[in-house]
Amino acid sequence: MSREELTDKILVLKARLGDKQAFASIYNKYVGKLYRFAFYKTSSKEVAEDLVSQTFLKAWEKIIAGGQIKSLQALLYRITRNLIIDFYRSKQRTELSLEYDVAEDKLPSQELHANVDQDLIKKAVASIKNADHKEIIILRYIEDLSISEIAKILDKSPGNV
């Protein structure tokens, strides 16, 4: 068990015992990552914010219910992933898009490079036919997660990932 996983388990136990600061620590640790993941998948700031809010609400309910949480990170990404799937089912969309937000404080040349990079990434990911493969690529190279972390999120073996 890694140091991060141990820290997460401690935070979950504290939150389960009513420590609001522990849940705030969980939120602060993962909100940016989950928002970026949801935004990549939906291309909408508002939708990504709503999905992340729903993720933490569902996570809170799971923590309070006392269920076993093997990996907090995997749980949070799995909840977000399922909410994104539900969002697209409700909108009857078939194609997921990949975009990222360019920081407003960047120089025009940096913004241009970011836009070019965004287009290249978008085209490369769009060319992948298998939805699971797209997700693995996003989690690995954009979210910078390890193979074992991705395996937990997707509920697959590391070899399969």
Side-chain angles (χ1 to χ4, degrees), residues 23-80:
F23 191 77
S25 295
I26 292 169
Y27 177 87
N28 290 332
K29 181 176 180 181
Y30 289 104
V31 68
K33 295 175 182 180
L34 296 173
Y35 172 80
R36 186 175 55 239
F37 178 67
F39 184 75
Y40 284 142
K41 297 293 220 159
T42 63
S43 298
S44 168
K45 289 180 182 182
E46 294 79 16
V47 171
E49 288 170 359
D50 288 346
L51 294 174
V52 172
S53 294
Q54 290 175 38
T55 296
F56 282 104
L57 178 62
K58 287 182 179 284
W60 173 254
E61 291 169 351
K62 176 99 173 157
I63 289 169
I64 295 304
Q68 182 182 5
I69 299 173
K70 292 181 182 178
S71 169
L72 178 61
Q73 177 175 270
L75 173 69
L76 292 171
Y77 273 98
R78 195 173 303 127
I79 291 170
T80 305

Side-chain angles (χ1 to χ4, degrees), residues 92-159:
Q92 297 180 342
R93 295 184 185 169
T94 57
E95 194 57 40
L96 299 180
S97 66
L98 171 69
E99 292 186 23
Y100 61 90
D101 202 12
V102 177
E104 294 173 5
D105 59 345
K106 288 188 176 182
L107 298 172
S109 63
Q110 289 174 318
E111 189 172 336
L112 175 64
H113 290 296
N115 288 336
V116 170
D117 290 346
Q118 176 184 2
D119 290 340
L120 291 173
I121 292 169
K122 191 174 185 178
K123 286 178 186 175
V125 172
S127 70
I128 300 170
K129 304 239 185 289
N130 186 305
D132 283 343
H133 294 168
K134 283 183 185 182
E135 190 131 30
I136 290 168
I137 296 294
I138 291 169
L139 290 170
R140 178 72 173 131
Y141 296 104
I142 295 174
E143 294 298 316
D144 200 30
L145 298 178
S146 71
I147 298 298
S148 61
E149 291 170 324
I150 296 168
K152 289 176 186 174
I153 291 166
L154 299 179
D155 200 23
K156 296 182 183 291
S157 72

